[in-house]
Amino acid sequence: MRHGISKTDDGTWTFSLYAPNPERVELHVEGGPGTVAMNRGPDGFWRAEVPGPQAGARYAYVLDGGDKRPDPASHLQEEGVHGPSTLVAHDAFPWTDAGFVPPPREEWVIYELHVGTFTEEGTFQAAIKRLDYLTALGVTTVEVMPVAAFPGERNWGYDGVQPFAVQANYGGPEGFKAFVDAAHARGLAVVLDVVYNHLGPEGNYLREFGPYFTDRYQTPWGEAINFDGPGSDGVRAYFLDNLEHWLTRYHLDGLRLDAVFMIFDERPEHILAELSRRAAEVGERTGREPVLMAEDCLNRASLVRPRDSGGMGMQAMWADDFHHAVHSLLTGERGGYYIDYGALEQVARAMEDGWAYQGEYSPFRRRAHGEPCGHLPGESFVFCIQNHDQVGNRALGERLPSLVSFEACKLAAAALLTAPAVPLLFMGEEFGEDAPFLYFIDHGDKWLLDAVREGRAEEFADFFKDKEPPDPAAPETLAASRIAPEKRLTGRHAAMFAWYSRLLELRRTHQALRRPDKEHCRFWCFEREGLLAMRRGRPGERLLCLFNFSDKPASADPDAFLPGCRVLLDSSNDDFGGTGGEPGLLPPYSARIHEEQT
């Protein structure tokens, strides 16, 4: 890796800094020789070797005699994003996961969590105590929202400014490694959400170092990352090194790349393809192939096409159409991008192919949207009915149980966990958590706080004209967003937890559901009746799933779709908080799963 720090066996630290802008760079290290003049190479990198400092010592850079600045590739910021960086010796951690083999990707069940709100303490150490709970639930993969150092102590993580550092109050590098090691000990894979489309504003000193940003493109967060302009070689290396940093030093099993549609690159090899190539190289060295998942709202099949076929080489994509179609159908919401959805056929098409929009006209975009995707395997698509974006980017952060009925939530869960795709649960979803997940920050600059408040209000203008979002800077906003797993022990939360547990057990044990097999899957959609029928599996192992998305009972003869089948699971059963149903008649907003009898 070209960026950042490394330590040799004899205790010498190597410092490498991409900074083509300044004429002179000095390095200040505690416990070392004091001020060290760095040497500049023709590639814009400055380098220095310093013997003697111990791990934990602070260091900083001075550009052209100015103020001290943290390392852009810092691994820890114990004094915040404006303070000096800390030397981290990665070889000191006692890993125990040498024999760990990640679960097969086609069997993944992802659980998305935010470290600060997953537990009362908001630390990796506290999160470790809940890993057994996730394993017992049937989760196979934990997806951690961004942990890169951000201003203050409260943030979603997408305002990070030092992508190589682990947020100090979460537990820093040692805490994150302990979390990954503990997850691997329980058979859980770990994926980290990383942000390669922008960096946060506060504490962002990168412009002083080099051409990390460009005004050739614009994002919702300002200037785009410079992946293709003058000086972009060092910038590309910065993010390529970041990917390798997480995969090797933290033993991660994959990365989720945030909002890749805001990554702009006109060079012959797109940065996404280069990232996937670097990940493959890491996999060859480690013997464990990393998984790269891309968040994309453009429905581009090219993201998961192999690099040698002109694609980006990602392994999977967050596929929004399933969420939008289910959400719009159940809530009746039609504001913003939900104007494109609301038809049962769109739910069926997303479940069958991966996306509802595959080149059709989008009223929201006022143009054709998406590419054909029926040829892609089911494991290429990550489905959800809730995630941090779809919940937190609402004015009041309402989760699905606050918007629709208890029965409708169970119906949505059944569609998610039986669809031929990789399911993602958002923390607390499994027991029907009804606390909001709000947007929260802890910026130190008043002007920035005001800008965030104004920006949030403008963002919600199309969705919620009569609601005021809570103050994102208030500590109470984060506190209100914490989940409370003890809810799963009583009332309807217990019934929802039982429903999710049973669905996940069925997905784990039944041959028809263990893998997202689209080939042996057939759908029937009866829009007027609100009935969707899905048959999955090979002959002799098939399941029939009936979904009633209507507020009226739906008549359905299961033998018409799977002769001689028997009821295996019914959301209207009193074990799951239902009031019972009749054979051949599905209650409103219910799901019933039948099994082929052989």
Side-chain angles (χ1 to χ4, degrees):
M1 285 179 267
R2 301 173 67 189
H3 288 263
I5 59 171
S6 60
K7 181 173 173 286
T8 61
D9 293 338
D10 65 1
T12 297
W13 293 83
T14 299
F15 298 80
S16 180
L17 172 71
Y18 181 62
N21 285 359
E23 296 296 325
R24 185 175 83 256
V25 176
E26 295 172 323
L27 168 66
H28 293 252
V29 187
E30 294 178 0
T35 299
V36 177
M38 300 188 74
N39 297 314
R40 178 174 183 162
D43 55 0
F45 278 85
W46 299 75
R47 294 175 178 84
E49 292 186 352
V50 180
Q54 298 298 308
R58 306 293 202 272
Y59 71 101
Y61 295 112
V62 174
L63 313 181
D64 291 331
D67 295 330
K68 291 182 179 179
R69 296 303 189 208
D71 183 357
S74 167
H75 297 181
L76 178 61
Q77 292 294 124
E78 293 180 288
E79 298 179 30
V81 297
H82 300 286
S85 303
T86 300
L87 292 176
V88 176
H90 290 281
D91 57 0
F93 185 80
W95 289 99
T96 64
D97 66 346
F100 173 71
V101 177
R105 181 163 55 92
E106 60 269 22
E107 297 181 9
W108 276 19
V109 174
I110 303 173
Y111 191 92
E112 185 190 19
L113 64 85
H114 176 269
V115 177
T117 55
F118 183 53
T119 66
E120 188 69 27
E121 299 88 342
T123 64
F124 291 117
Q125 191 60 43
I128 288 173
K129 300 175 183 177
R130 290 191 177 165
L131 291 177
D132 288 333
Y133 160 75
L134 296 182
T135 304
L137 177 64
V139 170
T140 69
T141 304
V142 178
E143 181 176 317
V144 182
M145 287 174 63
V147 300
F150 51 75
E153 297 190 348
R154 303 182 301 277
N155 202 289
W156 277 15
Y158 300 92
D159 288 329
V161 291
Q162 275 130 345
F164 291 75
V166 178
Q167 180 67 12
N169 64 295
Y170 285 173
E174 299 301 295
F176 193 22
K177 290 175 186 175
F179 177 83
V180 175
D181 199 48
H184 286 174
R186 291 159 174 81
L188 294 167
V190 182
V191 171
L192 176 65
D193 196 343
V194 294
V195 184
Y196 293 163
N197 52 59
H198 78 288
L199 285 92
E202 184 179 347
N204 186 346
Y205 300 106
L206 283 174
R207 287 177 178 82
E208 298 179 17
F209 291 87
Y212 282 85
F213 303 95
T214 176
D215 60 5
R216 293 178 60 210
Y217 316 103
Q218 289 294 316
T219 77
W221 315 284
E223 290 182 326
I225 303 293
N226 175 27
F227 285 117
D228 60 3
S232 61
D233 287 356
V235 178
R236 292 170 80 93
Y238 182 75
F239 290 94
L240 290 163
D241 285 354
N242 183 262
L243 175 141
E244 185 168 343
H245 167 78
W246 293 121
L247 295 179
T248 57
R249 290 170 173 152
Y250 290 86
H251 292 202
L252 291 172
D253 304 292
L255 300 173
R256 181 261 191 189
L257 278 58
D258 179 68
V260 299
F261 51 91
M262 284 297 164
I263 294 177
F264 304 100
D265 183 10
E266 294 183 359
R267 287 173 62 154
E269 183 178 31
H270 195 282
I271 185 62
L272 292 176
E274 195 169 358
L275 286 164
S276 72
R277 180 161 57 84
R278 175 70 71 90
E281 291 168 358
V282 170
E284 290 176 2
R285 295 199 307 268
T286 62
R288 293 199 304 230
E289 181 184 2
V291 172
L292 298 186
M293 297 187 295
E295 181 200 11
D296 184 61
C297 68
L298 301 180
N299 292 8
R300 294 178 292 174
S302 58
L303 284 172
V304 294
R305 190 179 303 137
R307 293 186 305 280
D308 58 10
S309 299
M312 302 300 180
M314 304 284 120
Q315 281 72 44
M317 302 167 287
W318 273 31
D320 285 346
D321 277 9
F322 174 79
H323 168 273
H324 296 349
V326 171
H327 182 95
S328 182
L329 190 60
L330 292 179
T331 64
E333 290 181 7
R334 298 294 186 273
Y337 47 70
Y338 289 129
I339 194 175
D340 281 350
Y341 303 91
L344 181 63
E345 191 276 336
Q346 293 173 316
V347 176
R349 195 177 195 210
M351 292 176 73
E352 185 172 12
D353 287 347
W355 295 316
Y357 280 88
Q358 302 178 41
E360 292 77 16
Y361 180 80
S362 157
F364 174 69
R365 293 173 173 82
R366 293 185 294 174
R367 59 168 174 78
H369 173 53
E371 296 178 338
C373 62
H375 62 287
L376 298 175
E379 59 265 30
S380 298
F381 302 92
V382 177
F383 282 4
C384 74
I385 54 173
Q386 300 183 65
N387 64 34
H388 76 272
D389 273 330
Q390 304 306 334
V391 176
N393 284 330
R394 299 176 63 87
L396 302 180
E398 305 102 324
R399 291 169 175 265
L400 194 61
S402 298
L403 302 173
V404 302
S405 70
F406 178 71
E407 297 301 328
C409 285
K410 288 190 292 179
L411 168 63
L416 170 68
L417 293 173
T418 59
V422 174
L424 178 143
L425 312 182
F426 184 51
M427 59 178 191
E429 173 186 329
E430 71 277 9
F431 56 85
E433 177 63 83
D434 45 12
F437 184 71
L438 300 164
Y439 183 72
F440 41 83
I441 53 174
D442 189 21
H443 292 307
D445 296 331
K446 183 181 183 303
W447 71 266
L448 187 54
L449 290 174
D450 292 340
V452 170
R453 292 182 179 116
E454 293 173 7
R456 297 289 287 177
E458 182 179 344
E459 180 181 356
F460 296 133
D462 287 343
F463 284 87
F464 310 105
K465 294 181 173 58
D466 58 345
K467 297 179 181 178
E468 186 75 22
D471 182 2
E476 296 79 13
T477 303
L478 176 140
S481 302
R482 290 195 179 104
I483 67 170
E486 61 273 12
K487 291 180 181 179
R488 74 187 190 281
L489 302 176
T490 58
R492 285 197 159 185
H493 293 293
M496 185 67 74
F497 186 72
W499 177 241
Y500 269 84
S501 298
R502 185 68 183 94
L503 283 168
L504 286 166
E505 179 189 20
L506 190 63
R507 185 179 182 94
R508 182 172 64 253
T509 59
H510 201 287
Q511 200 63 31
L513 293 180
R514 287 192 64 183
R515 290 175 172 78
D517 179 10
K518 290 166 60 177
E519 182 180 355
H520 299 92
C521 194
R522 185 177 177 189
F523 289 82
W524 296 265
C525 181
F526 303 91
E527 186 100 36
R528 182 174 298 178
E529 292 81 8
L531 177 67
L532 176 62
M534 176 183 68
R535 191 178 69 201
R536 279 194 62 178
R538 302 169 186 269
E541 61 182 36
R542 292 178 296 191
L543 290 179
L544 172 67
C545 306
L546 298 177
F547 309 100
N548 181 9
F549 281 87
S550 168
D551 59 359
K552 298 178 176 58
S555 177
D557 178 11
D559 283 336
F561 309 102
L562 187 60
C565 59
R566 66 180 183 90
V567 175
L568 188 61
L569 200 58
D570 190 340
S571 68
S572 65
N573 189 289
D574 58 6
D575 290 343
F576 311 117
T579 57
E582 302 176 19
L585 194 65
L586 271 72
Y589 300 117
S590 66
R592 191 174 291 161
I593 301 176
H594 301 74
E595 181 179 41
E596 184 174 20
Q597 297 191 83
T598 57

